[in-house]
Amino acid sequence: MSREPKIERFNANVKSKYEVYNGIFMTLPFDGISNTGVLLPLFHSICKEGYKDNKNPTEIIEYFFERYMRDATEKEREDILFKFIQYIERQVVLFDAIEDASYRIVNNMDGRGTLRNIKEEAEATGKKEELISYLNRFTIRPVLTAHPTQFYPGVVLGIINDLSAAIRDNRLEDIKTLLAQLGKTPFFKKEKPTPYDEAVSLIWYLENVFYHSAGAIYDYLHRHLIQDESFSNTLVDLGFWPGGDRDGNPFVTTAITLKVARKLRSSVLRNYYREIKQLRRRITFRGTEAPLSELEDQVYTAIFSEEKPAISQASILKTLKDIRDIVRDKHQSLYLDKIDSLIHKVELFGLHFASLDIRQDSSIHKIVFEQIVENATINGSKIFPEGYLALSENEQIDFLNNVHGALDPESFEEEVVTKTLGSIYAMKTIQDENGERGSNRYIISNSQSALHVMQAFTFLRLCDWESPTADVAPLFETVPDLIAAPAVMEALYTNPTYSKHLKSRGMRQTIMLGFSDGTKDGGYLMANWSIFKAKEAMTAMSRKYGVTVIFFDGRGGPPARGGGKTHQFYASLGPNIEAQEIQITVQGQTISSNFGTVDSCQYNLEQLLSSGVNNEVFKGAHNDISPSDRETLEALAQKSYEAYTAFKGHDKFLPYLERMSTLKYYAKTNIGSRPSKRSQKSTLDFGDLRAIPFVGSWSQLKQNVPGFYGVGTALASFEDAGKLEDVKQLYKNSSFFRTLLENSMMSLTKSFFGLTVYMQEDQEFGEFWKLLFEEYKRSKRLMLEVAGLTELMENEKAGKASIQERENIVLPLLTIQQYALRAIQDMQRSGEQTDKAKVYERMVTRSLFGNINASRNSA
């Protein structure tokens, strides 16, 4: 079956199964309105036909009511729409479960980009030793974040997992029972989750998925490629943000940070304990029983320890290796592979499971610094000189080179100071309890200068940490900040105090780059090109000073937030960008879609590994951009930036988002603990707007503007100048540009302007809608011409089919959402404020969830 084309495997194992199981699901009586399952297919059909006839959502729903619910009361009509929302949410879950169950069949687990493929290609090309050498220094770090792009509560995740297993095994009765359970299980939360709740939800993936997938990768490498015990590179190094990410989240406290770190430790120890119990059933030989039994007791006790446990990663490894030696030397290596597998996991995950990053915005650091200086002045402290804050940036940095101390967070009245200093003391505590890898990186959002980095570095040294065993990582986000980034880093590399710190950290510097905010600021093409150039410049700058730079990419799910085909993106970067590590944020539906099952997680981790290998060892084709192609790409990015900047500056841009989209409803979904805006101002300010609700609102409108706007205009400028052949040549030569356009075409594929075509008649926003639609058509036409394709995603038929199925499922949901939004807009225009508006607002909010989750394949 695996030899069939991927699209045929998808149709047979996903599409056809969904049609069968959805038919069963629609007959299950799990709600108070018995005919919901009968009416939804009829409503779905009316929606499809209605948009073909250019009807608007209001006309479509009113036609449905007139035809099938003519005698129903207004309340009954509202109830049926809410029931449709509930059914469709669960249809999305069913589709998720079927895709998960069929993952191994649809995707070739031994095909291109997998470990087996890497090994065989290295052997065939005589590069096995080069491959081993690279793997001994190369690492991937997926960093799980709790950014609110998915709402599935834990119980629903469990149902998806069980349903996938039942579908995989064709257990029809279990499937029916689980579908019935799904129908009765609440999907949304009445209260916002706490940061600790978010952490617990993501730790489920660490315990049940990443633990097994990363362990399997490490096992494979040791068994089939590197039979050398001296190989110590862990290759997969997990990161974690919930409980540590303070940027814009006032609910993250020092106590929560410590609680999350201890939860991570107890979770990984629980997994070790399960494996040790299994080992004891097999390793029953003379000389092994006592040490295994003692280790089991020690690990069990440590699971429940609230403070530093009595055992360590080193002590667990020593015991296991001693037992392995006994089994190998005296018992014919019986079950040796099981002992090795646990050793590998302990090497990978230690007592920390995943490294907990601390993150805060530079603007908050500025406030904290001012408070510390002011406090020192009042108390007569000599830490800072009089007039310090009036000094120039360079003068402040010169002074910071020699600042150290042991400030007490509780001695400050300002909560922001207490929290900031407390987070650093928490890092020290976590390192003491879980090991250095437990928390060893402080990230500064919105970094714009060397002073921002030196301030954070000084915070470490003011918390009784003379030689910090932690890295300070600037996060560059906007286009201007990316341009300034190389100069900022050179100032740090040449700073004597910071340079000394780098030497103590192995001359390695982590730099984070924000794809999401970069796209929001500068548009899709300019953001990606600016990051590419910044990486090249910072690589050259770092190499000049003997520093190995590690790029950490803040990537979201959809292409508009830096997502898309990430493995192809990294394989295309070329030799001028340092690539000893690939570090990316993984969040929301991207976690469940790419890393939600052991199969999908292992496959996508291997794809990331292979992208580094392909770039470095196999020297992937077309990775170096020629001067002429670079000139073309620069011109395209500049034209795109100009178009996007003008678009942002349009006087209807913010009003359109505020009044015609679902933007303001994101805060009401209770998906995440973090506020949807960075400030609490009542007026909408673009700078305060987070990338997630910004991109998500365009997605709910099925316009996906951030993923393509400006690209069509840029291509058209070359067409008008008779130079489109230059762009076609660039597409042919550069895998980087090719990946960008393919990801942008995914955004176009997920757009459906028919949903909002009624807006072109709107007196206030009609012309603005037409502006969007024209850019969509222009982008689609010219991207297809440049790529030599006749339809979007022509070369990704299975991926396109998945998108189309999901978009088809939620079409009625989108219709209900637009129907409710139109009703709210009409009431606002007429000045009518009734309880009816609250019903429609609840309808909009409830319809967000299914649409969000249906987009899981956007990464």
Side-chain angles (χ1 to χ4, degrees), residues 273 276 280 292-302:
Y273 178 74
I276 292 169
R280 287 196 64 198
L292 255 183
S293 177
E294 183 179 351
L295 180 61
E296 181 183 357
D297 290 341
Q298 290 173 339
V299 171
Y300 182 80
T301 301

Side-chain angles (χ1 to χ4, degrees), residues 282-294:
R282 296 290 174 262
I283 310 299
T284 54
F285 319 131
R286 190 182 303 276
T288 64
E289 289 182 290
L292 255 183
S293 177
E294 183 179 351

Side-chain angles (χ1 to χ4, degrees), residues 113-157:
T114 63
L115 282 178
R116 179 174 175 178
N117 174 256
I118 292 170
K119 170 182 170 290
E120 291 176 352
E121 186 171 350
E123 290 173 341
T125 57
K127 293 189 174 184
K128 184 177 178 180
E129 293 305 316
E130 187 178 345
L131 172 62
I132 292 173
S133 174
Y134 181 65
L135 292 177
N136 204 23
R137 64 181 187 275
F138 177 61
T139 305
I140 59 171
R141 183 190 285 196
V143 179
L144 305 191
T145 80
H147 290 348
T149 54
Q150 177 176 311
F151 81 100
Y152 289 149
V155 289
V156 175
L157 288 173

